[in-house]
């Protein structure tokens, strides 16, 4: 049943999120910060709460592993893809992510200390780059369109 729940989650929800970073943001938002358990009302209705927790956890680990396999340039492109979907002013979002270090909650609890350090270091570089790209304020064109 867990395999069916994973497939359902990917088919119905995660396939609609084009960036790995977007998937990490979404999946980590489904995790209770106190218990570490994942919940998704629709998935739990179709399967059960335990199956939903396992399916989301496996998907979170998978998306995180895929992100770590990307080369730095690919991570930048994926980050740009996620950033382009945001409705808020991108410079402010980058500054908030840097200030609050909210990216540190995006990895699954199963991530090793080395994986966490690698992810955090890359995110810090990418966020500084994004903040610099959008430092001019004004328009919020895609980062890839900037000189």
């Amino acid at each position: 049943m867990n395999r069916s729940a994973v497939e359902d989650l990917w088919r119905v929800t995660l396939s609609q999120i084009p960036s790995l970073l977007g998937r990490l943001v979404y999946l980590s938002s489904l995790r209770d910060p106190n218990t570490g358990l994942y919940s998704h009302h629709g998935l739990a209705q179709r399967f059960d709460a335990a199956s939903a927790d396992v399916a989301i956890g496996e998907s979170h680990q998978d998306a995180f592993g895929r992100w770590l396999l990307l080369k730095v340039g690919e991570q930048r492109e994926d980050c740009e893809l996620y950033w382009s979907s945001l409705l808020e002013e991108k410079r402010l979002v980058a500054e908030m992510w840097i200030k609050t270090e909210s990216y540190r909650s995006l990895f699954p609890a199963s991530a090793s200390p080395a994986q966490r350090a690698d992810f955090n270091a890359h995110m810090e570089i990418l966020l500084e780059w994004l903040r610099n790209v959008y430092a001019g304020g004004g328009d919020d064109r895609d980062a890839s369109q900037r000189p």
Side-chain angles (χ1 to χ4, degrees):
M1 180 178 275
N2 286 340
R3 182 79 334 218
S4 297
V6 170
E7 291 168 359
D8 184 84
L9 178 63
W10 278 90
R11 183 178 34 78
V12 174
T13 305
L14 296 178
S15 65
Q16 305 303 309
I17 304 172
S19 68
L20 282 172
L21 183 57
R23 291 174 185 168
L24 290 174
V25 169
Y26 175 72
L27 291 164
S28 65
S29 76
L30 300 176
R31 181 179 51 210
D32 182 301
N34 295 315
T35 65
L37 296 174
Y38 295 92
S39 62
H40 183 283
H41 181 71
L43 199 60
Q45 281 188 322
R46 286 190 293 283
F47 299 94
D48 59 52
S51 295
D53 172 58
V54 171
I56 298 165
E58 286 179 10
S59 297
H60 196 181
Q61 291 173 18
D62 181 63
F64 184 70
R66 289 180 187 202
W67 169 267
L68 292 178
L69 291 175
L70 294 177
K71 295 178 179 136
V72 175
E74 293 169 326
Q75 288 177 343
R76 185 188 58 116
E77 290 171 6
D78 188 73
C79 197
E80 286 176 338
L81 180 61
Y82 172 71
W83 233 247
S84 72
S85 72
L86 298 177
L87 301 177
E88 299 84 7
E89 186 179 337
K90 291 156 182 58
R91 178 184 54 80
L92 293 176
V93 175
E95 288 175 0
M96 184 55 67
W97 277 42
I98 291 167
K99 185 184 292 184
T100 64
E101 297 183 343
S102 58
Y103 55 89
R104 291 180 179 268
S105 67
L106 298 181
F107 46 73
S110 61
S112 72
Q115 289 173 320
R116 293 172 190 216
D118 185 44
F119 179 81
N120 290 337
H122 285 224
M123 284 305 300
E124 289 164 6
I125 291 166
L126 289 167
L127 288 168
E128 284 296 336
W129 175 79
L130 282 166
R131 181 166 62 177
N132 289 332
V133 165
Y134 293 113
D139 71 357
D140 253 1
R141 292 182 293 161
D142 288 340
S144 61
Q145 295 176 356
R146 296 285 176 126

